[in-house]
Amino acid sequence: MSNGSDLTHRPLEGLTVIDLTRALAGPYATMLLAGLGAKVIKVEEPKGGDLARENSPYVGRDGVIVERRHEDDISISHLTRARGKYGVSLDLKSEAGKAVYFDLVRKADVVVENFTAGTADRLGIGYQACKAVNPRVVFASLSGFGATDRDGKAMDVIIQALSGAMFTSGEPGHPPVRIGIPIADMLAPVFTVIGILAAIEQRHTSGVGQHVDVSMLGALTSFVAIENWSAMAAAGLPARTGLTVQRLSPFGVFECADGYVAVVAVHEPLARGLFAAMGQPELSDDPRFCSRDARVANATELEARINAWSRTLPMVEVLRALEAQGVPVAPVRHPEDALVDPRVVARQETMAVKHPSYRSSIDLRTAGVPIQFSGATTGFDDALPVRIGEHNQAILRDFLGYDEGRIAALAEAGAI
Amino acid sequence: MSNGSDLTHRPLEGLTVIDLTRALAGPYATMLLAGLGAKVIKVEEPKGGDLARENSPYVGRDGVIVERRHEDDISISHLTRARGKYGVSLDLKSEAGKAVYFDLVRKADVVVENFTAGTADRLGIGYQACKAVNPRVVFASLSGFGATDRDGKAMDVIIQALSGAMFTSGEPGHPPVRIGIPIADMLAPVFTVIGILAAIEQRHTSGVGQHVDVSMLGALTSFVAIENWSAMAAAGLPARTGLTVQRLSPFGVFECADGYVAVVAVHEPLARGLFAAMGQPELSDDPRFCSRDARVANATELEARINAWSRTLPMVEVLRALEAQGVPVAPVRHPEDALVDPRVVARQETMAVKHPSYRSSIDLRTAGVPIQFSGATTGFDDALPVRIGEHNQAILRDFLGYDEGRIAALAEAGAI
């Protein structure tokens, strides 16, 4: 029994994950598992490999470039999502490749796939086939609409549209808004990790694994569903309110001379603080703004007054004036600024990635594991499948115990 | 050892969670744990209780109403977030209340809190105090900026602004966009659940619990960081592209006579399908649109042509025409329509909630647990703390084994 406060350990050490995923959603799930300490073995087709290898921009000996120039240029998407994973090449359509796959499954705790729904079963590498060789395996499928649905491929923007998330953003009467982060692609994998860990916990009691099935549409729609849309409609409240929420006024985003700030001054002392910061303390006694109900009733006029004040000032002055009054306020930051917030950097919620061989003048900052543990650490093994099959020797020989002859035969047959 | 395919079991059965959370972020985390089968005991101040109890609208004997009329009207927020939880009242500032709290902690696997950072320690109910009575306990803190930060309260809109998420949405040159779902409030709890389950897994080896600490800013910023913002800037790609992404053109949201649709036709056969659906198959041979590079170079003109076609037609016709060509397309749906998608309803990714005593004519549909397990079920115990302290008897007498005299004394002292 190890010491729980030993910060050289990661919480999921000892778990082995076979990673069949491609593109973004699946690889983000296995990236989180790797960051939490699982040993992740990424399986790629010997020819082609993960689609994300072809995503522009790339980084390499010439720095960051839009089009690949050298064989060892790496897509920054791949550099990000394949962090800490061991890469093996495997032709899952060949019998020899499948035999290697099932040897991996026998030694695994978890398999994760995000093929189009039904593909894994059709290839003979789905849950039933894995369970037959390892009843303890937890097999996770990540798809657009669920593992038994045949609606085909789902892309982030399609799911954003279907989920209602797009409709809720933007100004009333204006077009909907495409959310600029791939929220559907990112949310399903987070729930997939929860499903895997819950199934692993159940396995401590039941002794057996199971199939875990998460849908992109379901994950994002469940988020949208936390607001009570039908009750709001019944109560006459609109589904889309733009930059501000008038029923909480003053609440929302306001304009400055050089940008925008978010302000929350719903409660009495905060509203008084806002009026003082504006240099108009008399508004606290104005019958239109002297109570929460009055402010809500006159929200449009109140918002116009706030904008008339803030629009003339640089953000830094608006922030200073409101902070001095204790009113919650924040700049609307560019992602590049957000990613280097010292609080976020210190907690490794964002982290630098780099090409294994070349230095880049640009800080390539990407997602970390946004969880701090007092008795464990998070982070990524110093492993990255730069080439497809980069770790074939380490996995086939050292992990599976294959001899050199067998590995050579697999290579000759094109199975790896 | 139970049978893993027994669908009467939920994956986290056997785990007990002491829930000190309020408002949205914390209660959503413990709601997920309850849905996954943990026994969740929600602790509320004897006077006042969870802030979400005061959120409008309410449901009760008069149906859905904006202002509370009767004592048994329930905030729909509370009805949603307190599902499947057992409620006890406890004055954590009193010595007698603290003694009960530590009795609960002794029998718990997990404690979750979302007080302002530092508050739990100041009250003497934080991780160190809990660890002293139960070294196996996993103690999770959910805060705006991290458990050791003293920046005070964080609201969803403040975190959206700071994270960069707001900046990435909307049209170039236009204001940023407040995302209409409380994404910062919702994302941190999902990572908190991952942290808790990872710590529980580590406990199987280490024998001890630990502190799990998740920040709203960190969780959302890590999502934003999956895009390579600095590399995109270095490559001359904009951070905000509005309804469409021209470097993938045609890709994005297009206008119809009665709404909007999302369309993805990046690859050659899809672009040809789109042109055919538009009744303009000759565009496939037009040098401006005949290759992916050409379409990207002429994206503005291409998008104008698509909109000129789709704008004249109802959504249903645009969908039919594109589906017939196998082009991925989806309507931008209102949340109320999204929540009743038969696929989502069948998988209980959204579910109905109702007042325990009264029927409502409105389908109050809310978030489910968006994970399917082949060897387990999800869902909520038939428990809801309608009153503060609703389950005091069940928890204090049956779970902790207190006798009636002790419970009466606690009530008399105002500790429960």
Side-chain angles (χ1 to χ4, degrees), chain B residues 311-363:
Chain B
R311 191 181 291 132
T312 62
L313 299 171
M315 291 163 76
V316 62
E317 281 187 37
V318 172
L319 293 168
R320 198 182 298 137
L322 289 170
E323 282 166 359
Q325 297 290 337
V327 177
V329 61
V332 176
R333 294 198 292 204
H334 187 284
E336 284 191 75
D337 298 325
L339 267 51
V340 294
D341 183 307
R343 295 169 290 201
V344 168
V345 170
R347 292 166 62 92
Q348 298 203 63
E349 292 152 343
T350 69
M351 352 178 19
V353 283
K354 57 182 179 50
H355 193 291
S357 309
Y358 307 112
R359 294 166 60 117
S360 152
S361 59
I362 298 169
D363 177 34

Side-chain angles (χ1 to χ4, degrees), chain A residues 11-256:
Chain A
L12 300 188
E13 265 175 36
L15 292 184
T16 297
V17 177
I18 310 304
D19 177 7
L20 306 178
T21 67
R22 306 91 53 84
L24 173 52
Y28 179 62
T30 52
M31 191 202 93
L32 289 173
L33 292 169
L36 289 164
K39 179 189 187 81
V40 175
I41 301 171
K42 180 176 176 64
V43 174
E44 294 181 272
E45 284 174 33
K47 284 174 187 151
D50 192 332
L51 301 164
R53 290 178 173 275
E54 311 306 323
N55 285 6
S56 177
Y58 299 85
V59 64
R61 62 186 72 184
D62 298 338
V64 173
I65 52 176
V66 173
E67 286 181 33
R68 171 179 270 162
R69 292 178 199 163
H70 307 284
E71 208 182 323
D72 60 357
D73 288 340
I74 304 177
S75 164
I76 298 170
S77 296
H78 182 69
L79 190 61
T80 295
R81 301 171 197 169
R83 264 178 302 166
K85 301 178 184 177
Y86 298 86
V88 298
S89 57
L90 216 48
D91 176 6
L92 292 169
K93 290 173 182 156
S94 74
E95 287 312 308
K98 272 194 193 123
V100 179
Y101 169 70
F102 288 117
D103 281 348
L104 288 170
V105 171
R106 278 185 192 92
K107 296 193 71 173
D109 300 282
V110 178
V111 178
V112 190
E113 59 95 2
N114 69 332
F115 295 111
T116 305
T119 302
D121 283 338
R122 191 166 43 71
L123 291 173
I125 58 171
Y127 176 52
Q128 293 306 326
C130 290
K131 183 185 177 181
V133 303
N134 180 1
R136 287 178 57 79
V137 82
V138 171
F139 189 99
S141 297
L142 211 160
S143 61
F145 305 98
T148 57
D149 193 280
R150 291 295 174 271
D151 270 8
K153 292 188 180 179
M155 279 130 296
D156 182 80
V157 72
I158 297 285
I159 301 295
Q160 280 198 29
L162 288 174
S163 69
M166 233 180 220
F167 189 95
T168 66
S169 302
E171 296 297 322
H174 281 65
V177 170
R178 190 180 62 83
I179 298 170
I181 48 177
I183 183 76
D185 269 337
M186 299 285 285
L187 201 54
V190 180
F191 279 105
T192 301
V193 172
I194 290 178
I196 289 168
L197 295 179
I200 291 285
E201 175 61 14
Q202 189 176 1
R203 190 177 73 169
H204 284 287
T205 310
S206 70
V208 295
Q210 58 184 305
H211 188 206
V212 172
D213 156 21
V214 174
S215 130
M216 288 168 63
L217 180 66
L220 187 53
T221 307
S222 82
F223 255 40
V224 172
I226 201 72
E227 296 276 12
N228 306 296
W229 301 102
S230 54
M232 282 167 63
L237 300 170
R240 189 198 294 173
T241 71
L243 282 175
T244 62
V245 181
Q246 293 204 332
R247 70 189 156 88
L248 302 171
S249 191
F251 177 107
V253 175
F254 297 90
E255 192 182 350
C256 300

Side-chain angles (χ1 to χ4, degrees), chain A residues 151 210-211 241 343 374-375, chain B residues 151 178 210-211 343 374-375:
Chain A
D151 270 8
Q210 58 184 305
H211 188 206
T241 71
R343 295 169 290 200
S374 69
Chain B
D151 272 8
R178 189 180 62 81
Q210 58 184 303
H211 188 205
R343 295 169 290 201
S374 69

Side-chain angles (χ1 to χ4, degrees), chain A residues 1-2 4 11-12 15 24 28 32 36 57 64 66 76-77 80 127 145-147 149 151 155 157-158 161-164 166-170 175-183 186-187 190-191 193-195 197-198 200-202 204-208 210-215 217-219 221-231 233-235 239 241-245 251 253 260 262 264 328-336 338-339 341 343-344 347 349-350 362-368 370-376, chain B residues 1-2 4 11-12 15 24 28 32 36 57 64 66 76-77 80 127 145-147 149 151 155 157-158 161-164 166-170 175-183 186-187 190-191 193-195 197-198 200-202 204-208 210-215 217-219 221-231 233-235 239 241-245 251 253 260 262 264 328-336 338-339 341 343-344 347 349-350 362-368 370-376:
Chain A
M1 194 160 286
S2 71
L12 300 188
L15 292 184
L24 173 52
Y28 179 62
L32 289 173
L36 289 164
V64 173
V66 173
I76 298 170
S77 296
T80 295
Y127 176 52
F145 305 98
D149 193 280
D151 270 8
M155 279 130 296
V157 72
I158 297 285
L162 288 174
S163 69
M166 233 180 220
F167 189 95
T168 66
S169 302
V177 170
R178 190 180 62 83
I179 298 170
I181 48 177
I183 183 76
M186 299 285 285
L187 201 54
V190 180
F191 279 105
V193 172
I194 290 178
L197 295 179
I200 291 285
E201 175 61 14
Q202 189 176 1
H204 284 287
T205 310
S206 70
V208 295
Q210 58 184 305
H211 188 206
V212 172
D213 156 21
V214 174
S215 130
L217 180 66
T221 307
S222 82
F223 255 40
V224 172
I226 201 72
E227 296 276 12
N228 306 296
W229 301 102
S230 54
T241 71
L243 282 175
T244 62
V245 181
F251 177 107
V253 175
Y260 293 83
V264 176
V329 60
V332 176
R333 294 198 292 204
H334 188 284
E336 285 192 76
L339 267 52
D341 183 307
R343 295 169 290 200
V344 168
R347 292 166 62 93
E349 291 152 342
T350 70
I362 297 169
D363 177 33
L364 297 174
R365 189 153 280 279
T366 188
I371 309 168
Q372 311 293 310
F373 295 90
S374 69
Chain B
M1 192 160 287
S2 69
L12 300 188
L15 292 182
L24 173 53
Y28 179 63
L32 289 173
L36 290 164
V64 173
V66 174
I76 297 170
S77 298
T80 295
Y127 176 52
F145 306 98
D149 194 280
D151 272 8
M155 280 131 294
V157 72
I158 297 285
L162 288 173
S163 69
M166 232 180 224
F167 190 95
T168 67
S169 303
V177 170
R178 189 180 62 81
I179 298 170
I181 48 177
I183 182 77
M186 299 284 287
L187 201 54
V190 179
F191 280 105
V193 172
I194 290 178
L197 295 179
I200 290 285
E201 175 61 14
Q202 190 176 1
H204 284 287
T205 310
S206 71
V208 295
Q210 58 184 303
H211 188 205
V212 172
D213 156 20
V214 173
S215 130
L217 181 66
T221 307
S222 81
F223 255 40
V224 173
I226 202 72
E227 295 277 12
N228 306 296
W229 301 102
S230 54
T241 70
L243 282 177
T244 61
V245 181
F251 178 106
V253 175
Y260 294 84
V264 176
V329 61
V332 176
R333 294 198 292 204
H334 187 284
E336 284 191 75
L339 267 51
D341 183 307
R343 295 169 290 201
V344 168
R347 292 166 62 92
E349 292 152 343
T350 69
I362 298 169
D363 177 34
L364 297 173
R365 190 152 281 278
T366 188
I371 309 168
Q372 310 294 310
F373 296 90
S374 69

